[in-house]
């Protein structure tokens, strides 16, 4: 049996598809920032119960993680929009995420 690389399994993304993905991820960032504002308002609301404020404080870590994730995806899709390859854009995105992990380790 002979195994050989034949071609891409899926067709490469077109420029329109890349623009659509870039637009979608930027909309997602707006949603995440709205989520962050909502959580911060729960933390600052003095009329809420201590349990609700404590839950909001735990949630803020998840929000920060999601912001980093979406920001990495924005970096990826912006590079793809500029004509970079998937490989180069993935490297940049993963380097950004590595810097975020290092920053989080320093805080702990």
């Amino acid at each position: 049996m002979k195994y050989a690389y034949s071609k891409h399994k899926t067709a490469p993304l077109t420029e329109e598809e890349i623009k659509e993905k870039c637009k979608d991820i930027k909309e997602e960032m707006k949603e995440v920032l709205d989520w962050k504002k909502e959580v911060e308002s729960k933390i600052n609301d003095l009329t809420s119960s201590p349990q609700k404020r404590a839950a909001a404080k735990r949630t803020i870590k998840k929000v920060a993680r999601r912001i980093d994730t979406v920001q990495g995806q924005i970096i990826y899709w912006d590079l793809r929009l500029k004509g970079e390859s998937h490989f180069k854009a993935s490297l940049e995105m993963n380097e950004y995420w590595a810097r975020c992990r290092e920053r989080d380790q320093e805080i702990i």
Side-chain angles (χ1 to χ4, degrees):
M1 290 182 13
K2 183 178 177 183
Y3 294 102
Y5 178 78
S6 58
K7 288 186 178 181
H8 290 287
K9 302 295 182 210
T10 58
L13 294 175
T14 64
E15 180 126 359
E16 287 300 316
E17 291 173 326
I18 291 173
K19 286 180 183 177
E20 183 66 30
K21 298 268 189 181
C22 194
K23 183 179 134 196
D24 289 344
I25 199 65
K26 288 182 181 178
E27 288 174 4
E28 186 174 346
M29 180 57 107
K30 290 177 186 174
E31 292 174 11
V32 172
L33 292 175
D34 289 341
W35 182 30
K36 180 181 178 183
K37 286 180 187 176
E38 180 184 318
V39 170
E40 287 175 343
S41 69
K42 288 180 184 177
I43 291 173
N44 297 329
D45 184 16
L46 299 176
T47 60
S48 350
S49 69
Q51 292 85 358
K52 284 184 182 179
R53 285 199 307 246
K57 287 179 184 177
R58 288 190 303 271
T59 304
I60 202 76
K61 294 176 186 175
K62 295 174 186 171
V63 172
R65 171 80 178 180
R66 185 66 188 148
I67 288 172
D68 290 342
T69 302
V70 173
Q71 186 62 40
Q73 292 174 350
I74 288 173
I75 290 169
Y76 174 84
W77 288 111
D78 283 343
L79 287 172
R80 288 299 306 269
L81 195 59
K82 292 176 185 173
E84 295 291 341
S85 68
H86 164 74
F87 181 74
K88 172 108 170 56
S90 291
L91 284 176
E92 292 294 324
M93 178 180 63
N94 288 325
E95 286 175 5
Y96 173 77
W97 285 343
R99 286 192 306 271
C100 291
R101 281 192 298 273
E102 288 173 5
R103 181 193 67 214
D104 292 343
Q105 289 299 321
E106 290 174 1
I107 293 172
I108 295 174

